[in-house]
Amino acid sequence: MESEKQAFTRSKSMSRYKLESSTATLESAKSLLERISIDWQNIEKRIQKNKDGTVTNPVKLIGLSGDADTKQIGQKLNLLADKSRTEGQYEEIGTLYGFTLLVKTEVSQKEGISIRDNRFLFREKEI
């Protein structure tokens, strides 16, 4: 009986831990969903469309002319992805729909080797 009681107590503790962990994961996911939903609503308010309903591409990158086409923009973004070294700081690279476009170099270690990864982000333009 004593060993069955211990097994029951252990099982009950593990179940309680799993419930708390699952609850925390759920709350975190809900919070993330709320933030993403707010961001999506903000973007949808700003999206511009052509007369035929297609979404325009008003990306403006620093160092490119205002009438740059999507191929030129893509080439510039690929260059930034390969060559940017921001030392962990956010660096402004352009604008889109009133948002500031940024690049940030993040460094991680894998098997003793430093790996640099450039992340593209956007934030609401500061007024």
Side-chain angles (χ1 to χ4, degrees), residues 16-114:
R16 184 174 293 137
Y17 171 77
K18 285 181 183 179
L19 176 61
E20 289 171 359
S21 176
S22 295
T23 302
T25 300
L26 178 61
E27 290 304 316
S28 177
K30 283 181 179 179
S31 174
L32 178 61
L33 179 60
E34 286 175 21
R35 293 190 317 262
I36 289 172
S37 295
I38 290 168
D39 287 345
W40 185 253
Q41 290 170 6
N42 202 358
I43 289 170
E44 281 188 320
K45 289 178 194 173
R46 297 171 188 226
I47 287 179
Q48 301 165 10
K49 295 184 179 184
N50 294 320
K51 291 179 182 177
D52 64 0
T54 59
V55 176
T56 63
N57 183 18
V59 174
K60 304 289 184 229
L61 296 178
I62 296 170
L64 286 182
S65 67
D67 61 349
D69 63 22
T70 54
K71 185 175 180 179
Q72 293 168 315
I73 292 168
Q75 289 172 337
K76 177 75 173 185
L77 290 172
N78 283 329
L79 180 68
L80 289 167
D82 290 340
K83 304 292 182 187
S84 291
R85 297 295 180 259
T86 69
E87 307 300 327
Q89 302 298 311
Y90 295 98
E91 184 177 298
E92 185 174 338
I93 61 169
T95 61
L96 171 64
Y97 292 128
F99 292 98
T100 300
L101 299 175
L102 308 162
V103 65
K104 179 183 179 187
T105 305
E106 296 177 350
V107 180
S108 60
Q109 296 285 325
K110 185 173 183 179
E111 298 176 8
I113 299 171
S114 290

